[in-house]
Amino acid sequence: MIPATEPFVVNGRRYAPPRRIVTVVCLDGSADEYLDAALARGRMPNLQRIAAGGYRGMARAQMPTFTNVNNSSIVTGVPPAVHGIGGNFFYDTAAGEEVMMNSARFLRAETLFPAAQKSGRKVAVVTAKEKLRDIFASGLIEAGGIAFSSEKAREAVLATHGIEHVESVAGTTPSIYSGEASIHVLRAGVRLAEAGRADFLYLSTTDYMQHKHAPEDPEILDFYAAIDLEVGHLLKLGAVVGITADHGMNAKQRPDGSPNVVFLESELAERFGPGFRVILPITDPYVVHHGALGSFAQVHVPDGADVAAVMKAISALPGITEVHTREAAARLMELPPDRMGDIVVVSGRDAVLGRTPAYHDLKALAGGLRSHGGRYEEMVPFVISEHLTPQYLARARSDVRNFDIFEFACNGVARKH
Amino acid sequence: MIPATEPFVVNGRRYAPPRRIVTVVCLDGSADEYLDAALARGRMPNLQRIAAGGYRGMARAQMPTFTNVNNSSIVTGVPPAVHGIGGNFFYDTAAGEEVMMNSARFLRAETLFPAAQKSGRKVAVVTAKEKLRDIFASGLIEAGGIAFSSEKAREAVLATHGIEHVESVAGTTPSIYSGEASIHVLRAGVRLAEAGRADFLYLSTTDYMQHKHAPEDPEILDFYAAIDLEVGHLLKLGAVVGITADHGMNAKQRPDGSPNVVFLESELAERFGPGFRVILPITDPYVVHHGALGSFAQVHVPDGADVAAVMKAISALPGITEVHTREAAARLMELPPDRMGDIVVVSGRDAVLGRTPAYHDLKALAGGLRSHGGRYEEMVPFVISEHLTPQYLARARSDVRNFDIFEFACNGVARKH
């Protein structure tokens, strides 16, 4: 039995976790279609039981639908306007440089993990991608918790990760470009929970497989079956399991299979001359996934540019679905204005935004381009292993957000009759 | 065996139906969550088999996500910019009156049914709502086909419906405010196909049940089980079955269960004075469903209004997600500009748009408000009972539209090995 702990409050939300293992899983890039395809083929029997006996619905992710943005929202419970991470990447206009936001120093709100640890829970955070670890670990290791990535599992040491000899717990450090990178995360969580080393877990996978495979592909069906197996282990341990995603995933191709890219910087240079800087906040060290092509861009215009004329020109490009001023996008998408461009651009279900043809290595995408970042990757699965209370059921059916998931897993579980 | 027929071309698309019964089902208001909930509970075994052995994915519906708009697109294969039906309702500025678009005289493109009938197929179209019958029947009865509604089943006569004594075929005329109104449609289709009276069918249900029930409610699980039973009958007859929806469905409520309405006409009158006319194109004779409250509105501004200022004010209202000029909305949503207001407004997943509090009878919505019309009801199920050819599979995984479904059911089916 987990000891009784005091409720804790983080960023204005109150969390009162039950005396059970609480696990939130973020399945990176898990469009609902992946679950549908695996369920239809009987490959996810544990999720099947949850869908019938607990809650399975949809939640709205955070725009832009990127990994860092949404993981940061999930672990803080607030939108980027508060936590500050509005992309994997932004252009620091003061410093004149493009900055990767892989570090907790960009985080403007605390995560809920240090407070959970201090309240008496044993917190463990496992992520596939090392790029997220620093954000997740913020304040947690000092408080006594655990945080490591499967990507750098063998490098984890007690002082900075709260754990060592991770490979003996969860197996050999996998390649980040594999399905095993994600399964390793879940297996690590199961082993830590089994061993009593953690009772409050966040497990965040990588979308390498989803970038590479459509929902019906045999490889990804096997992948989801392996996920389901680990979910089953968590359920057997008596855990409350919440499952969501940071974003969905869509084919961004023409019918002939070629990538459907709007090269914004080229288009703007041609019409308005040089000086435009297009920031693609999907950009990260894992370019094999997506070639830095997603459905969302920030545009910095040169001094003296006619912003309204530029916006109108962008709006008229095929594949573009939204064009906003910084101010409008910050309000609509709850983004931090000081880390945005002058114009925000979003593209459609089958289209991505690029800078110039020379900037992107399309050869890396020979197998086809599946990506995310826009509105058509905004609705994601929202699953809780238990019956919800009437109050939380009503919220789940309303405009629930993926970053409500920790609150649901902690507070939303109906007592069994 | 269905006789071989010549391919036919309608509105630029070529249809080459297989020598099998072809049936397209439009499940009105069937958000994918309804299928998920019923499948998880084992209530749709036939859909389960289709999902594993045929194709189940998602398609983009037509904005605004209303019934007439999307049914018109499905039966013509083109967007409203071509077929002319951009809402259930529009304001005729020349005549100065609000006009219901329930009549084929508003249709600017032919449906594919007369051509299918002339090519040698036996076409039958069954709709739950009488309001759609006239559009569906356009040119079909003269060509020898059948078209009737379950709402007015007992009134069908040979001269105008191509059939009589419908109740002896499909049972007693049901109330339009019932689940049976939809099941009646499917049963009629099955009976007509069984009897050899139809081999090319369009079956279009009503969303009364979806307006009233969340996906996990027992009543709607029974409803989907009844749908699945009829789908099973169609499969047993050897039919190719395509299933899609005209739009999804979301709870448009505050957490306390009260309707979450932005009263646009009131808001504009307060800020800019009188003379604004807000058209809610969800409006139809079936107000019990939704109280004329949906997530899409057309705004006609008075002469001399500062359109940019009005748009800015609307944008700032909570719940509003999109505000476009007529020109921009016509381009983005492929709508007919001559049947639009000056400004197009869209609201979010949990919000609807109204005129004034006095205009709407909120008492009719005592059980809660579930509605549609916006972007969060745009992605709908797209199901084909067969394996798709590689070419159509690639299209299905791209930006496929719900109104591609007849083409998929006719041309996209892979031959069995």
Side-chain angles (χ1 to χ4, degrees), chain A residues 172-192:
Chain A
T172 311
T173 299
S175 159
I176 191 64
Y177 296 121
S178 69
E180 170 63 13
S182 291
I183 304 305
H184 193 273
V185 169
L186 301 180
R187 193 188 309 123
V190 169
R191 299 277 168 81
L192 292 172

Side-chain angles (χ1 to χ4, degrees), chain A residues 102-113:
Chain A
N102 281 3
S103 161
R105 73 188 170 90
F106 296 106
L107 204 59
R108 294 171 173 165
E110 54 181 353
T111 82
L112 51 84
F113 303 133

